Amino acid sequence: METVYRDIWCVACGFDTSARLTDGREVYPNRPDLATVPFWICDLCHNFVGCHHKTKKNRTQPLGCISTPKLKMLRNTIHDLIDPLWKEQGWSRGKIYGTLSKELGYTYHTGEIRTEEEANKIIEIISNIIQNARHSRSV
Ligand SMILES: [Zn+2]
């Protein structure tokens, strides 16, 4: 099979890397269930990103930039903060993302966070939004 490359932002490298299309056999050798799932890998730092592989139309469309384990952890922290708000507490998901985008000055997507600083800033903004909401409810 011909090797396929695509320019994707790599968080660890700090530039658009020439990512190589691979599959689960390379990045998750102990997960036979992921063997045929596509991934984009950076051959310079060996970090990788998954794809929207469940969509039939473009199953190699990357989920976002190529992240680092540390940034993945921060993204999970962000989801742990945001998700209960709209899943359990009746907040509007669109409104949360809208407020975040407004505060940041650009359209917010968790998958597109490029630096740890950015992730930390987002965590701070969300924490403030939650605190303000609690405060105004208790008044
Ligand atoms: Zn890289």
Side-chain angles (χ1 to χ4, degrees), residues 24-119:
R25 282 173 298 189
E26 178 177 357
V27 297
Y28 288 114
N30 301 319
R31 290 283 306 273
D33 54 312
L34 299 176
T36 60
V37 173
F39 293 90
W40 292 96
I41 190 166
C42 172
D43 283 320
L44 302 173
C45 66
H46 306 290
N47 286 299
F48 55 86
V49 65
C51 302
H52 293 278
H53 68 273
K54 282 171 186 162
T55 59
K56 283 186 184 128
K57 203 171 137 204
N58 194 357
R59 68 187 298 272
T60 60
Q61 177 70 32
L63 291 169
C65 54
I66 297 175
S67 188
T68 60
K70 176 87 191 288
L71 188 58
K72 276 180 191 161
M73 224 179 63
L74 291 170
R75 281 186 189 160
N76 286 340
T77 305
I78 291 172
H79 275 298
D80 288 346
L81 282 169
I82 292 181
D83 293 357
L85 297 176
W86 59 270
K87 282 182 181 165
E88 295 157 19
Q89 297 176 34
W91 292 42
S92 149
R93 186 167 184 251
K95 206 173 164 188
I96 298 166
Y97 281 81
T99 307
L100 258 175
S101 301
K102 210 169 130 191
E103 293 265 346
L104 287 164
Y106 54 82
T107 307
Y108 173 71
H109 293 290
T110 311
E112 292 294 339
I113 299 172
R114 290 188 165 200
T115 64
E116 288 168 18
E117 293 76 49
E118 192 181 348

Side-chain angles (χ1 to χ4, degrees), residues 91 127-139:
W91 292 42
S127 304
N128 284 337
I129 293 172
I130 294 170
Q131 263 184 359
N132 288 340
R134 293 225 170 103
H135 181 71
S136 60
R137 266 183 218 172
S138 64
V139 169

